[in-house]
Amino acid sequence: QVQLVESGGGLVQAGGSLRLSCAASGRTFSSYGVGWFRQAPGKEREFVASIGWSPADKYYADSVKGRFTISRDNAKNTVSLQMNSLKREDTGVYQCAASATFYGANGPFYDYWGQGTQVTVSS
């Protein structure tokens, strides 16, 4: 079992930055692929970014490419999402998810999910 806890959300003005963290406990996090997803009110959950087992294994949604950066610190059992140049449309609840066998954009392939952290971008 892996328990995931997100942190770092908050209220920020458009153009600002936030750094989200996903902390894992229960298993060695380095053996898991990790994805970030978000859900805005009234919308379906969407993929944001994911990271695999090597530093080069990263995917981003087109909407966040060039603005968001995903990274992992296996020594600290965390995966971070640095979000820059935030836009109002980035508002939503951000969740991290983990899988021992997958790290792409398909949410149902992940086995473990955190509760989420709220990100609100104001204009």
Side-chain angles (χ1 to χ4, degrees), residues 29-62:
F29 208 24
S30 60
S31 61
Y32 288 82
V34 177
W36 281 97
F37 294 79
R38 67 187 181 191
Q39 187 167 20
K43 295 186 177 181
E44 293 187 354
R45 184 178 64 199
E46 65 174 353
F47 169 75
V48 176
S50 63
I51 188 166
W53 296 270
S54 78
D57 294 335
K58 299 178 183 179
Y59 288 125
Y60 296 95
D62 288 342

Side-chain angles (χ1 to χ4, degrees), residues 70-85:
I70 191 170
S71 61
R72 68 189 310 159
D73 185 337
N74 291 330
K76 296 182 178 180
N77 262 14
T78 60
V79 169
S80 298
L81 184 69
Q82 178 66 42
M83 307 187 296
N84 299 327
S85 301

Side-chain angles (χ1 to χ4, degrees), residues 7-120:
S7 62
L11 174 64
V12 63
Q13 286 190 332
S17 299
L18 282 175
R19 186 177 181 86
L20 305 184
S21 291
C22 174
S25 61
R27 288 285 181 93
T28 303
F29 208 24
S30 60
S31 61
Y32 288 82
V34 177
W36 281 97
F37 294 79
R38 67 187 181 191
Q39 187 167 20
K43 295 186 177 181
E44 293 187 354
R45 184 178 64 199
E46 65 174 353
F47 169 75
V48 176
S50 63
I51 188 166
W53 296 270
S54 78
D57 294 335
K58 299 178 183 179
Y59 288 125
Y60 296 95
D62 288 342
S63 59
V64 307
K65 280 181 182 176
R67 300 188 299 122
F68 291 11
T69 302
I70 191 170
S71 61
R72 68 189 310 159
D73 185 337
N74 291 330
K76 296 182 178 180
N77 262 14
T78 60
V79 169
S80 298
L81 184 69
Q82 178 66 42
M83 307 187 296
N84 299 327
S85 301
L86 283 161
K87 304 175 182 179
R88 285 193 65 185
E89 52 263 43
D90 294 319
T91 294
V93 175
Y94 284 68
Q95 289 179 282
C96 63
S99 168
T101 58
F102 181 77
Y103 69 97
N106 198 331
F109 284 17
Y110 288 89
D111 302 307
Y112 306 101
W113 292 81
Q115 291 299 309
T117 184
Q118 175 71 45
V119 171
T120 304

